[in-house]
Amino acid sequence: MAAVTELSFLLFALINNIHAQELIIIGQEGDSYTFKLPNNTNSCLISRSVGEEKLVLWNTSDLWSNSSSVPEHLKLRLDSDVDTSSYTILHLTHSDSGPYREECWTEGNVTHDNNFTITVCTTSRDRSYITARVGEPVDLPCEGAADNLDVQWLKQDSRYDYGTWNRVFGDNTTSVMDNVRGRYQMVTNTSALHVSNVTATDFTGYNCLVMNQQQCVSSHPVRLELHYEMIYRSVGETAVLPCTITDSTDEQPPRWRNLISTDLGQLNQTDPSVDQNYSLVFSSLMLNHSGRYSCEASGIEQYYLLAVCPKFGPPAVELFSEGEEVTLRCRDWRKGWDHDWFIKSKRTEGRIFSVESDQRMSRVSWYDNGSLVISNISVGDAGEYWCVVYDYDYQCVSTERTVLVWL
């Protein structure tokens, strides 16, 4: 059964350090594409390259004359609007794929010169969303690759132009972008895009094009987003929320917001404050500092959930032997709207991590009934575990602490 999908276009601009800007327009078969040429020009030529041959498709000064260069099969699918200098190819087919060029003249001088490629391709409506942290590696999946490893990866340059994309690879293995050379690699068996050291500029849109020789079979969009951090602290302690998404090209300083209450820039208070590194600093935490915070720079946002709880009492103690399964219970989980588990262990050098966001906790499961289950426990799991219960405004209403001790 044929599925009826909304036909749409993705505009990609691929820029590398060798070639001039190349625009790639990707649309589904049956869609249309409109060439928007500049006004006040004497004439424009639209040509297409077929191998080494340059085929002139039409000259806008004699578009509909008997001697027009427009191929007959294209005349039947061509629509124009002289008032807006726009020309549209209707009902695109795979045969329309290829490199195109626009050239316009005014009084004998070239006033417009544009190269681009039209690729007719089926675009997946299911976008993948992947999260990562700055400095960590990540793999972006190519969902449509399967056994077909002939793929092309594109990257959206959303920090400056939401319609501009960069070609990640000149071929299947070599990055063509100087600022990421060596950081991006193709995973051999899956065609996933491996980023070895994520930076702020990597948090954007990507697209994996599955190819059959020179024909695009399908395109699969992926969005890389910054993983939000959960931070636990007690009243009176300090907290520093770093803004790691800034770089030297940012024209405006980052903007911090409290997503629960108001813009931090409008608060007449010294705590929290923003230091010279654009980190949000709390020198003496209070209960009402709990909440969700966001650092925004160049269209990217970095999110934090800060839980500030009262000073905790003596912890419960759980003993375990290696290989056992241990269940920790959050007895007060019904008192609030939501709850999270945090851990402080020797392997994290005394730092406190959210159990959910700590990727090293692969043997840990947590449930809505407040229980935390650690399977095949080992000495590395020893440490202090906190269950933090929130109300609807993310204010801490309860905290419980359990210490796991290895026998």
Side-chain angles (χ1 to χ4, degrees):
M1 181 176 64
V4 178
T5 61
E6 181 181 358
L7 301 180
S8 61
F9 278 103
L10 296 175
L11 176 63
F12 303 88
L14 307 183
I15 307 173
N16 58 48
N17 57 314
I18 300 175
H19 301 91
Q21 188 177 51
E22 177 191 6
L23 298 176
I24 295 185
I25 297 92
I26 298 182
Q28 299 189 61
E29 192 168 20
D31 281 1
S32 60
Y33 175 70
T34 299
F35 301 86
K36 296 182 179 180
L37 302 176
N39 294 317
N40 304 319
T41 56
N42 298 133
S43 65
C44 295
L45 288 180
I46 306 295
S47 60
R48 176 183 170 188
S49 297
V50 181
E52 299 297 327
E53 181 183 0
K54 179 179 178 180
L55 176 65
V56 177
L57 297 183
W58 64 81
N59 185 334
T60 59
S61 62
D62 66 341
L63 188 61
W64 305 113
S65 69
N66 292 331
S67 61
S68 171
S69 59
V70 179
E72 289 300 320
H73 73 89
L74 188 56
K75 280 185 177 181
L76 299 176
R77 297 187 290 123
L78 187 63
D79 188 22
S80 65
D81 186 339
V82 179
D83 293 334
T84 60
S85 298
S86 62
Y87 303 86
T88 302
I89 299 179
L90 305 172
H91 310 301
L92 287 172
T93 67
H94 284 287
S95 62
D96 294 315
S97 299
Y100 288 75
R101 184 177 183 180
E102 300 170 347
E103 298 173 273
C104 295
W105 292 266
T106 301
E107 298 179 354
N109 297 318
V110 176
T111 55
H112 176 74
D113 189 358
N114 188 29
N115 294 289
F116 57 94
T117 297
I118 290 179
T119 299
V120 179
C121 192
T122 300
T123 301
S124 172
R125 300 185 69 180
D126 297 324
R127 180 186 297 270
S128 299
Y129 291 89
I130 305 297
T131 62
R133 295 181 178 88
V134 172
E136 294 186 352
V138 68
D139 284 354
L140 304 181
C142 184
E143 298 292 352
D147 296 330
N148 185 346
L149 300 182
D150 183 13
V151 304
Q152 295 180 10
W153 274 99
L154 309 176
K155 176 185 176 183
Q156 185 181 37
D157 192 9
S158 62
R159 288 172 65 83
Y160 307 103
D161 185 348
Y162 286 94
T164 301
W165 297 70
N166 295 319
R167 188 190 302 272
V168 176
F169 296 104
D171 51 39
N172 283 345
T173 59
T174 307
S175 169
V176 297
M177 293 185 289
D178 285 342
N179 63 329
V180 297
R181 187 177 299 278
R183 289 198 304 114
Y184 285 10
Q185 295 179 341
M186 188 87 74
V187 179
T188 303
N189 297 328
T190 64
S191 293
L193 182 64
H194 176 76
V195 187
S196 61
N197 181 17
V198 172
T199 66
T201 57
D202 294 323
F203 295 107
T204 183
Y206 296 80
N207 205 299
C208 176
L209 306 185
V210 178
M211 308 296 293
N212 181 7
Q213 296 181 354
Q214 298 300 314
Q215 180 172 308
C216 182
V217 177
S218 57
S219 68
H220 302 268
V222 182
R223 186 81 188 178
L224 180 60
E225 297 181 340
L226 192 65
H227 191 97
Y228 83 93
E229 302 286 344
M230 292 187 284
I231 298 176
Y232 172 89
R233 292 292 187 275
S234 295
V235 169
E237 294 182 341
T238 62
V240 178
L241 279 55
C243 186
T244 60
I245 57 176
T246 61
D247 63 32
S248 58
T249 62
D250 291 328
E251 296 181 0
Q252 299 293 329
R255 178 189 179 195
W256 279 97
R257 293 187 298 145
N258 185 329
L259 302 180
I260 301 300
S261 57
T262 185
D263 188 336
L264 291 172
Q266 297 176 356
L267 298 179
N268 295 319
Q269 61 182 45
T270 58
D271 194 4
S273 61
V274 179
D275 66 13
Q276 67 275 13
N277 295 320
Y278 303 114
S279 298
L280 188 64
V281 179
F282 298 82
S283 59
S284 181
L285 286 166
M286 297 181 291
L287 289 175
N288 62 2
H289 284 145
S290 294
R292 296 177 61 199
Y293 295 87
S294 166
C295 171
E296 181 178 2
S298 299
I300 305 174
E301 287 192 88
Q302 186 169 10
Y303 296 98
Y304 291 93
L305 173 58
L306 176 62
V308 183
C309 293
K311 293 288 186 180
F312 43 75
V317 177
E318 293 277 351
L319 304 179
F320 70 90
S321 299
E322 190 159 3
E324 291 182 343
E325 180 177 280
V326 173
T327 299
L328 305 180
R329 303 190 185 279
C330 185
R331 293 182 296 273
D332 291 338
W333 68 275
R334 290 187 179 90
K335 291 183 178 180
W337 171 71
D338 198 3
H339 70 278
D340 285 309
W341 284 91
F342 295 85
I343 178 176
K344 177 182 179 181
S345 67
K346 292 181 180 179
R347 62 188 176 87
T348 61
E349 299 177 348
R351 290 178 295 170
I352 300 174
F353 285 89
S354 164
V355 171
E356 180 178 355
S357 62
D358 189 353
Q359 298 176 351
R360 291 163 294 193
M361 305 294 292
S362 59
R363 294 171 289 101
V364 176
S365 303
W366 51 93
Y367 302 93
D368 291 340
N369 64 359
S371 61
L372 181 77
V373 179
I374 308 173
S375 61
N376 192 24
I377 201 165
S378 67
V379 63
D381 297 317
E384 300 179 9
Y385 290 77
W386 286 274
C387 175
V388 176
V389 181
Y390 312 100
D391 63 13
Y392 283 94
D393 292 326
Y394 285 96
Q395 299 292 306
C396 176
V397 296
S398 174
T399 181
E400 299 175 68
R401 183 171 60 136
T402 303
V403 177
L404 282 185
V405 178
W406 182 54
L407 291 176

